[in-house]
Amino acid sequence: MFGSTPDPGHRNSGVSGTLLIPTRFVWPYGGRRVSLCGSFNMWSEHIPMSPMEGCPTVFQVIWSLTPGYHQFKFLVDGEWRHDEHQPYVSGSYGIVNTVFLARESDTIHPISPDTHDRSNMDVDDNFVRLDSVQRISEADLEASRHRISVFLSTHTAYELLPDSGKVIALDVNLPVKQAFHILYEQGIPVAPLWDFCKGQFVGVLSALDFILILRELGNHGSNLTEEELETHTISAWKEGNLHLNRQIDGNGRSYPRRLVHAGPYDSLKDVALKILQNKVATVPIIHSSSADGSFPQLLHLASLSGILKCICRNFKHSSSSLPILQQPICSIPLGTWVPKIGESNRRPFAMLRPNASLSAALLLLVQAEVSSIPIVDDNDSLLDIYSRSDITALAKDRAYAQIRLDEMSIHQALQLGQDVNSPHGFFNGQRCQMCLRTDPLHKVMERLANPGVRRVVIVEAGSKRVEGIISLSDVFRFLLG
């Protein structure tokens, strides 16, 4: 989480005439106020750390150090913390991280055989040498997959249930407009649908529905006007778009799409496979104490991120026994990468400029069947990301009734969701999540396990040029083989 980088304008704490090495410290685990303290300032000064642009959960600071051995800790919201993924030892100040800076080189060396593997969330530097990484054998790969599969098969969806919280369901007879505003006000991108007459959950309303509704409103030949949203119900919308609620079986026959759900005692592996096979973002966890399934209780909305969090938590202190977790993401067949020159057979990679129209973004989200699209500058450097869930920002002040999708730019649309006075501009406080091609798989998994995150953008060190994307689905398809 640290490395040398030039910063001639930075104030240093060294003595005149002494060799000083500007060193970047990174705390990638969130918090409100984060500072750094170490042996290099006699543990007497708290050095404030600042959130990285585009990654509000990652804090960094550059501090000039003399060559040699140093110890340091992070003060996060008043609590002393150390980074378990950096080298650490027990010292006079408790458990502390360590760094050794050589005089001839700024390479960081481990100080003992017990030091843990490091990985870097600071996208301005690239420390891992790929030629030093040992390729995983097929046997180790299968062994890792088997251990993860056994874990998922022996743990149930019940473990996904939080100690406290709320789950919001919508009545199918609610007007579409009201449902749109509820999702925005509650800061959620999806909600199960309850049919009072049938006494059961019958489906879900997601951000994709609103994308399709707004695109239909933008078509001059549409039979659905903005005024009709006042009375047009969710049920009417679903029935009027039956083609969206049908799926194809193995023989090519079309049949109605049923609600994909799970019970609290279904295995985590079964829940993950249901999400993957049905190409849905969430699966309602429903429990009924009656044998006939009446009086169902909605307990939770299961997602791949929640299941991935269970995996990360279980193997956190034994990741060394899973060789696959230590592999750099560029060394394993994972994710979608920007095609190189001459690679015409690669799957197209969707990116947009900030001045592209919102209409183009929504069309691309639907056609590419992805949850988000990187927004890049003329050099393909990452600026932001537009997600399906961002569509609910148009519910603010009835913006959808006042704009034309082909006239509003993505930049303007994102500004709607970033109002500092609105708690719903960011879903669960997450926006751009980035990684380097040399980051190990376990770091990418930890990032994807954050609520609201479904894709991590792979960027080039320094320039932040987009190199690829890894989604939750990519990780599970790889892990489950």
Side-chain angles (χ1 to χ4, degrees), residues 155-260:
H155 290 74
T156 67
Y158 189 83
E159 298 179 44
L160 298 175
L161 274 59
D163 294 333
S164 63
K166 63 181 179 181
V167 184
I168 295 172
L170 301 175
D171 192 298
V172 291
N173 292 316
L174 274 176
V176 169
K177 176 182 175 181
Q178 188 175 347
F180 197 9
H181 283 267
I182 289 174
L183 292 198
Y184 167 71
E185 291 162 2
Q186 297 297 324
I188 56 176
V190 60
L193 298 175
W194 172 259
D195 190 318
F196 182 79
C197 295
K198 296 180 180 179
Q200 62 185 28
F201 293 97
V202 294
V204 297
L205 189 73
S206 69
L208 178 60
D209 286 300
F210 291 116
I211 290 175
L212 297 173
I213 289 171
L214 292 177
R215 290 191 65 226
E216 185 172 329
L217 283 171
N219 294 332
H220 297 295
S222 171
N223 294 321
L224 180 63
T225 64
E226 195 277 327
E227 290 76 13
E228 286 180 301
L229 288 177
E230 299 280 357
T231 55
H232 200 75
T233 65
I234 299 172
S235 178
W237 158 254
K238 292 289 188 180
E239 290 175 5
N241 293 270
L242 290 177
H243 62 285
L244 300 175
N245 298 304
R246 301 188 71 83
Q247 57 191 94
I248 308 298
D249 64 15
N251 298 318
R253 291 189 296 265
S254 172
Y255 63 96
R257 183 187 297 272
R258 295 180 179 178
L259 172 65
V260 181

Side-chain angles (χ1 to χ4, degrees), residues 283-302:
V283 166
I285 305 299
I286 299 174
H287 175 65
S288 176
S289 56
S290 304
D292 61 358
S294 58
F295 305 106
Q297 293 178 293
L298 177 62
L299 303 180
H300 185 60
L301 290 180

Side-chain angles (χ1 to χ4, degrees), residues 216-399:
E216 185 172 329
L217 283 171
N219 294 332
H220 297 295
S222 171
N223 294 321
L224 180 63
T225 64
E226 195 277 327
E227 290 76 13
E228 286 180 301
L229 288 177
E230 299 280 357
T231 55
H232 200 75
T233 65
I234 299 172
S235 178
W237 158 254
K238 292 289 188 180
E239 290 175 5
N241 293 270
L242 290 177
H243 62 285
L244 300 175
N245 298 304
R246 301 188 71 83
Q247 57 191 94
I248 308 298
D249 64 15
N251 298 318
R253 291 189 296 265
S254 172
Y255 63 96
R257 183 187 297 272
R258 295 180 179 178
L259 172 65
V260 181
H261 67 280
Y265 301 109
D266 289 354
S267 73
L268 292 177
K269 184 175 182 178
D270 286 342
V271 176
L273 289 175
K274 282 185 177 182
I275 293 175
L276 291 174
Q277 292 166 357
N278 291 278
K279 296 182 179 180
V280 295
T282 59
V283 166
I285 305 299
I286 299 174
H287 175 65
S288 176
S289 56
S290 304
D292 61 358
S294 58
F295 305 106
Q297 293 178 293
L298 177 62
L299 303 180
H300 185 60
L301 290 180
S303 65
L304 291 180
S305 64
I307 299 174
L308 193 60
K309 189 172 184 178
C310 288
I311 296 175
C312 293
R313 184 169 59 238
N314 182 76
F315 295 104
K316 180 176 182 180
H317 299 294
S318 59
S319 60
S320 59
S321 64
L322 291 175
I324 188 59
L325 299 186
Q326 315 303 325
Q327 289 294 299
I329 54 174
C330 63
S331 68
I332 52 182
L334 184 66
T336 303
W337 295 74
V338 174
K340 296 179 180 179
I341 297 175
E343 292 181 331
S344 58
N345 59 336
R346 292 283 293 274
R347 174 178 158 189
F349 191 92
M351 294 190 292
L352 287 173
R353 303 281 187 260
N355 59 351
S357 71
L358 180 56
S359 177
L362 300 184
L363 178 62
L364 198 52
L365 284 170
V366 174
Q367 291 182 339
E369 296 183 331
V370 294
S371 60
S372 58
I373 301 171
I375 310 303
V376 298
D377 63 15
D378 292 339
N379 296 317
D380 290 343
S381 296
L382 186 66
L383 298 173
D384 210 324
I385 195 164
Y386 192 83
S387 304
R388 286 186 183 184
S389 54
D390 287 322
I391 196 66
T392 58
L394 295 183
K396 179 189 174 186
D397 300 326
R398 296 175 68 251

